[in-house]
Amino acid sequence: NCWLPENHTTLMAAQQTMGKENVATAATAEKPEPPALAALDLTGATPPPLPMAPPAATPSKPPAPLLTPRSAPPPPPPPAPIACPRIEAKDFETLAAALEAAHVKPGRVDVVVAEGTTLTGTIKVPAGVRLVGSAGTRPIIMSTLTLNGDGAGVMNCDLREGVKVQMGTKDTEVRGCAVTNPCDAGILSRGAALTISDCELYECEDAVRHTYGDRLTLVRCQIRNIDGDGICSIPKISLLEDVSFENIGRHEVMCKAGVLRKVTSPVVEPPPPPPSPGAAEEAAAPAAPAPAGSWEDSWDGATA
């Protein structure tokens, strides 16, 4: 009852055979293998190692020379000390004018006094200034010298009436001075951080009297012929290093607060002098025989 075209049988046969020609042609034609697959070894054998380029040659360095005690370089020299600016006291009319000129300069400044000079009158060293005696004979200061500010100091002077450190100052210094004061303390300190080094203190009531402030330090000082105490300190003493005492009236060190550190270097005896050639010959020569009729012969005869 359905309507179909007359040639439907022919059309269906043509559709079933469509594309079979291409399949047959592809099956009969030999398809070439890719070159990568053709190079593969499918037998399971170990492949040969890949070729590697030889390493690049590096330039050889000569071996470093061994350092022996003789060939080792010498140690570097110590750095030179920083020199303070200097002002010559002789270039000013008075010492007070020289001290004031040094005080207005920045940093620490030394005021140098010529050797053999004798100074009288009141001398107050301001902050940041150090009064220095030139090399040679120490200049003599007949009155009490006062360190009147932070960083003030005196060096290489002969102080006949001692030194006074003003109350409230700090970082003051007395170095290389001879200090005496028969009527009072050689150094009377009311400041902090006072350092006394390479000084000789003699013929004083007390060599050092420290009543206020901390960090009192004495290094390589000689204290002798003192009526009272060698060192009398109410605050604690920071350091005593190589300080010698001789002929002290009361106490060498009078400090109830104590001493934080005390250092004494060992005394090295000087080597004996070499014997003279004449003494060596006399010691090696044999003793001369006693002459006949001496007391040795008479003693031997008496014994027999």
Side-chain angles (χ1 to χ4, degrees), residues 39-51:
L40 291 177
D41 186 7
L42 303 179
T43 61
T46 305
L50 298 176

Side-chain angles (χ1 to χ4, degrees), residues 95 113-121 123 131 133-134 136-145 154-161 178 180 202:
L95 178 60
V113 181
E115 61 175 329
T117 305
T118 301
L119 302 175
T120 59
I123 300 176
L131 184 65
S134 60
T137 306
R138 295 187 181 107
I140 300 174
I141 300 177
M142 300 299 298
S143 59
T144 302
L145 182 139
V154 58
M155 178 178 175
N156 195 35
C157 293
D158 190 351
L159 306 168
R160 298 296 176 88
E161 288 193 4
T180 181
Y202 64 99

Side-chain angles (χ1 to χ4, degrees), residues 6-31:
E6 295 179 356
N7 57 346
H8 70 278
T9 306
T10 307
L11 294 174
M12 293 178 64
Q15 291 177 356
Q16 293 177 0
T17 59
M18 186 179 295
K20 291 183 178 181
E21 300 86 358
N22 297 335
V23 174
T25 305
T28 56
E30 295 182 358
K31 188 177 181 179

Side-chain angles (χ1 to χ4, degrees), residues 177-237:
C177 295
V179 184
T180 181
N181 190 1
C183 300
D184 204 345
I187 298 177
L188 176 60
S189 172
R190 297 185 178 93
L194 169 63
T195 301
I196 307 170
S197 60
D198 302 308
C199 290
E200 180 184 1
L201 298 99
Y202 64 99
E203 296 179 2
C204 308
E205 284 191 359
D206 296 332
V208 178
R209 189 183 301 160
H210 186 63
T211 60
Y212 182 82
D214 58 354
R215 291 179 293 165
L216 173 64
T217 300
L218 282 87
V219 180
R220 297 181 302 274
C221 292
Q222 299 178 6
I223 300 176
R224 58 182 176 84
N225 300 335
I226 304 299
D227 295 336
D229 297 326
I231 302 173
C232 179
S233 177
I234 296 176
K236 189 175 295 184
I237 300 174

Side-chain angles (χ1 to χ4, degrees), residues 76-171:
I82 300 176
C84 298
R86 300 167 68 92
I87 289 180
E88 297 290 339
K90 63 182 180 180
D91 296 337
F92 296 83
E93 295 182 359
T94 61
L95 178 60
L99 295 172
E100 183 61 28
H103 177 57
V104 298
K105 289 181 176 294
R108 188 169 191 174
V109 182
D110 289 347
V111 175
V112 182
V113 181
E115 61 175 329
T117 305
T118 301
L119 302 175
T120 59
T122 303
I123 300 176
K124 293 185 178 182
V125 182
V129 179
R130 184 171 60 177
L131 184 65
V132 179
S134 60
T137 306
R138 295 187 181 107
I140 300 174
I141 300 177
M142 300 299 298
S143 59
T144 302
L145 182 139
T146 303
L147 301 181
N148 201 30
D150 297 348
V154 58
M155 178 178 175
N156 195 35
C157 293
D158 190 351
L159 306 168
R160 298 296 176 88
E161 288 193 4
V163 181
K164 180 181 178 182
V165 181
Q166 195 67 21
M167 186 173 182
T169 59
K170 60 183 179 179
D171 298 328

